[in-house]
């Protein structure tokens, strides 16, 4: 694990965007295309806006989501809506977008379609909640054991969080371990405390701990105060 610390969020966002742009360009140079998986929520918006201005070959890039709330695309809580509004703009407008939820009607059908469409990301950007969840792998969720199974052959699964609104559609741990690289982007002292605790022992009570302990995929942590 590579840990990068920044005194303020803007410096973190600038460094993150430059690093992701470089990695995507390297993937395009290597094989002609690249896949970027991003997380939702409000925290990534500055990163999305900065990425949208990056002079990279966006028409060769597929953008997808690490996880999604099972809501309609025009719902205020939709991660796809957030990506469309803030990332797939300006220079990034030509990118292909691969959402995890197209219609919030039949979650099993959406998961099946997402599994069929799954392509391993070159770069997957994770967030983390103060409960230690990442993607939509929530502690206490009935599907957590399946979601954290490193031998799972199902890249996408439905999750029913016990502590958060909406059912979710999420990449599994096994799917994320197929990424070219993982980046965890977090801010604040509280989340650092949670991450420090997760680094001491692997536990399903802090799902992020599984990602910290693995040695299959390079993991960079971008943290700012």
């Amino acid at each position: 694990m590579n840990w990068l610390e920044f005194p303020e969020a803007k410096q973190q966002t600038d460094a993150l965007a430059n690093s992701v742009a470089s990695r995507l360009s390297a993937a395009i140079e290597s094989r002609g295309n690249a896949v970027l998986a991003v997380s939702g929520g409000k925290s990534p918006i500055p990163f999305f806006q900065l990425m949208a201005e990056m002079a990279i070959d966006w028409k060769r890039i597929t953008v997808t989501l690490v996880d999604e709330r099972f809501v309609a695309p025009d719902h205020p809580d939709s991660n796809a809506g957030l990506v469309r509004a803030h990332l797939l703009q300006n220079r990034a407008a030509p990118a292909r977008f691969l959402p995890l939820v197209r219609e919030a009607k039949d979650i099993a059908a959406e998961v099946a379609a997402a599994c069929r469409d799954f392509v391993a990301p070159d770069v997957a950007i994770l967030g983390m909640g103060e409960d230690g969840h990442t993607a939509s792998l929530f502690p206490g969720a009935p599907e957590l054991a399946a979601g954290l199974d490193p031998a799972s052959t199902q890249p996408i699964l439905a999750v029913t969080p016990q502590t958060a609104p909406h059912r979710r559609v999420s990449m599994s741990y096994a799917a994320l371990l197929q990424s070219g690289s993982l980046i965890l982007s977090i801010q604040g002292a509280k989340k650092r405390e949670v991450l420090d605790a997760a680094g001491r022992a692997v536990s399903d009570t802090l799902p992020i701990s599984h990602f910290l302990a693995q040695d299959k995929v390079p993991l960079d942590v971008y943290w700012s105060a």
Side-chain angles (χ1 to χ4, degrees):
M1 182 175 65
N2 186 30
W3 186 288
L4 298 95
E5 296 187 7
F6 302 89
E8 58 184 36
K10 185 181 185 306
Q11 291 174 315
Q12 176 195 16
T13 300
D14 289 348
L16 178 60
N18 283 314
S19 178
V20 171
S22 177
R23 297 178 201 210
L24 294 175
S25 293
I28 292 169
E29 180 69 21
S30 174
R31 68 167 198 279
N33 58 76
V35 180
L36 170 65
V38 298
S39 297
K42 302 302 181 187
S43 298
I45 289 176
F47 165 72
F48 289 168
Q49 293 172 335
L50 194 54
M51 283 300 299
E53 299 295 343
M54 287 288 171
I56 54 181
D57 194 355
W58 284 102
K59 67 180 179 295
R60 297 181 181 273
I61 295 172
T62 296
V63 176
T64 190
L65 287 159
V66 169
D67 66 327
E68 176 62 286
R69 298 170 176 90
F70 191 60
V71 297
D74 60 352
H75 191 284
D77 292 339
S78 168
N79 286 339
L82 198 77
V83 167
R84 289 187 176 101
H86 299 286
L87 175 55
L88 301 177
Q89 301 290 328
N90 303 317
R91 285 176 165 164
R96 175 188 180 221
F97 184 44
L98 194 61
L100 296 182
V101 173
R102 294 164 178 80
E103 291 185 295
K105 294 179 180 178
D106 183 341
I107 196 166
E110 294 292 342
V111 167
C115 285
R116 288 193 299 269
D117 292 343
F118 173 75
V119 181
D122 293 284
V123 183
I125 303 176
L126 303 174
M128 185 192 75
E130 292 185 0
D131 62 354
H133 86 267
T134 191
S136 279
L137 303 174
F138 283 84
E143 305 87 355
L144 182 63
L148 288 175
D149 180 0
S152 173
T153 58
Q154 185 171 344
I156 312 292
L157 73 160
V159 180
T160 308
Q162 306 299 294
T163 57
H166 308 301
R167 293 193 74 187
R168 309 292 177 105
V169 176
S170 179
M171 285 189 184
S172 65
Y173 177 58
L176 287 163
L177 290 184
Q178 296 179 44
S179 304
S181 62
L182 295 170
I183 299 175
L184 175 61
S185 177
I186 57 172
Q187 298 173 1
K190 176 60 177 176
K191 289 191 177 183
R192 175 155 188 166
E193 290 176 10
V194 173
L195 198 64
D196 287 344
R200 290 193 283 270
V202 177
S203 170
D204 287 1
T205 60
L206 295 173
I208 190 65
S209 65
H210 290 260
F211 292 84
L212 302 182
Q214 61 83 30
D215 59 4
K216 184 176 180 180
V217 184
L219 171 64
D220 293 338
V221 178
Y222 281 66
W223 175 83
S224 66

